[in-house]
Amino acid sequence: MSSMQLRTLSFAVSMVIAGAAVAQEAGGRTRFILAASWQPAFCQTNQKKAECASQTGERPDATNFSLHGLWPMRQDYCGVSAEQKAADKDGDWNKLPEVTLAAETKTALAKAMPGTQSGLERHEWVKHGTCTKMSADDYFGVGVHLVGALNASAVRDLFAANIGKPVKADAIKAAFDKSFGPGAGDRVKMSCRRAGNVRMISELTIGLSEAAGAASAKSAGLADLIQGAGKTSFGCDEGVVDAAGF
């Protein structure tokens, strides 16, 4: 091979690598949101809810993220009757139809989503799950798997190590990057709420790719789903990691 051919080949390879880097930096499009609550903070302003009245420091949701939901972007209440939609918006979710789940899924969901004590899974299915092509069992199975991956990460470790203390956005984004790859923290938004004079971290909403909307996502890597999403602004820049109890 001549020197000219080698230079041409080298240039072509460089362009491919550069193109891949740009594609990785740009990411894809956010098609789903994984909403993960920090339950103690939620409960500060919802103390009468069953899952909050029964919360203890020993329960998993005291030191782990809880599943709020898996939300398709810009779609809700797909094929839902006007009566069910009205009942859902009234907030009395136990009036909604019971969600039929396999025993294994139901047990795992009760642990991952304490709000099942208030019928949260009925609300999530009617409003969001109906807009996926998954069965209810697969839909909640994916959610449980993904929040489990979050709880096995440096993000959960950061929160658990700082209960009662403030944590800054940069630290949380760095924990996402550590566990789920460079730029993962740019695909997360944080929400905070005030309880008295304290601003508490209440929820993380994590952008995911379209692949999150299939039953196969029950075995997918959370890192790949995050990396396939688009970037977003982080939102709240600092908040306290609340401890269980009022």
Side-chain angles (χ1 to χ4, degrees), residues 1-8:
M1 184 179 291
S2 69
S3 60
M4 177 63 75
Q5 288 173 316
L6 284 171
R7 284 198 297 271
T8 301

Side-chain angles (χ1 to χ4, degrees), residues 87-150:
D88 183 68
K89 291 191 171 186
D90 283 344
D92 191 356
W93 297 332
N94 284 317
K95 291 182 178 178
L96 295 171
E98 184 177 354
V99 180
T100 302
L101 300 172
E104 183 179 358
T105 307
K106 190 172 183 177
T107 298
L109 185 63
K111 181 178 178 181
M113 179 187 275
T116 54
Q117 297 180 43
S118 298
L120 177 59
E121 81 284 8
R122 302 185 187 199
H123 159 72
E124 290 298 315
W125 174 251
V126 165
K127 185 172 183 179
H128 303 291
T130 54
C131 295
T132 72
K133 296 178 181 178
M134 292 184 279
S135 67
D137 209 72
D138 285 338
Y139 172 71
F140 287 109
V142 169
V144 167
H145 166 68
L146 296 180
V147 82
L150 178 64

Side-chain angles (χ1 to χ4, degrees), residues 38 41 159 167 172 190-192 199-203 239-241:
W38 191 256
F159 273 62
V167 178
I172 298 168
M190 184 165 83
S191 300
C192 297
R199 183 168 68 168
M200 299 177 175
I201 300 170
S202 58
E203 186 160 69
V240 170
V241 181

Side-chain angles (χ1 to χ4, degrees), residues 147-243:
V147 82
L150 178 64
N151 282 327
S153 76
V155 181
R156 179 268 173 188
D157 292 347
L158 175 68
F159 273 62
N162 286 279
I163 290 174
K165 303 173 185 176
V167 178
K168 294 182 180 293
D170 286 349
I172 298 168
K173 292 178 73 172
F176 267 95
D177 288 358
K178 178 181 178 181
S179 289
F180 304 114
D186 293 328
R187 290 152 175 83
V188 180
K189 186 181 290 290
M190 184 165 83
S191 300
C192 297
R193 62 174 63 196
R194 286 198 174 275
N197 295 322
V198 181
R199 183 168 68 168
M200 299 177 175
I201 300 170
S202 58
E203 186 160 69
L204 300 177
T205 47
I206 304 164
L208 305 175
S209 68
E210 188 171 8
S216 57
K218 285 189 286 186
S219 58
L222 181 54
D224 290 339
L225 298 177
I226 293 174
Q227 292 291 342
K231 293 184 179 182
T232 187
S233 59
F234 197 77
C236 180
D237 61 349
E238 181 180 351
V240 170
V241 181
D242 191 31

Side-chain angles (χ1 to χ4, degrees), residues 33-37 66-71 124 147 203-206:
I33 295 290
L34 174 67
S37 297
S66 296
L67 177 62
H68 181 173
L70 180 65
W71 306 335
E124 290 298 315
V147 82
E203 186 160 69
L204 300 177
T205 47
I206 304 164

